[in-house]
Amino acid sequence: MHPDITHVEVDPDRLSGKPTIKGRRMPVEKVALIAREDGGMVLLRDEYDLTRAEVGDAVRWYQAAAKLLAA
């Protein structure tokens, strides 16, 4: 997708190949959608132990994918 996105991976053996946070079974789509909600960043940090960089990469990946699908 984008060379600056380093915290996202696509592994056919993890979640049927859906994009996930690298080394976790956490779907990028779920992270991006939670991040948009009020208090989402706090939830992702506290409950899922994600870093700001991981969440940022998930959001950028999700936005780029949505843009491609809309084209």
Side-chain angles (χ1 to χ4, degrees), residues 48-71:
Y48 296 100
D49 198 32
L50 295 176
T51 66
R52 184 173 298 280
E54 289 171 324
V55 174
D57 278 0
V59 169
R60 283 191 298 282
W61 180 282
Y62 183 75
Q63 289 171 339
K67 187 176 177 180
L68 285 173
L69 290 173

Side-chain angles (χ1 to χ4, degrees), residues 9-70:
E9 68 181 351
V10 177
D11 181 345
D13 294 328
R14 182 174 288 134
L15 292 181
S16 300
K18 291 181 181 179
T20 60
I21 300 299
K22 191 175 279 187
R24 303 173 187 241
R25 294 183 58 81
M26 186 68 167
V28 165
E29 180 179 17
K30 182 175 182 176
V31 172
L33 294 176
I34 291 172
R36 293 194 311 194
E37 297 176 10
D38 287 339
M41 285 298 296
V42 173
L43 176 71
L44 291 167
R45 275 196 322 263
D46 293 350
E47 298 296 322
Y48 296 100
D49 198 32
L50 295 176
T51 66
R52 184 173 298 280
E54 289 171 324
V55 174
D57 278 0
V59 169
R60 283 191 298 282
W61 180 282
Y62 183 75
Q63 289 171 339
K67 187 176 177 180
L68 285 173
L69 290 173

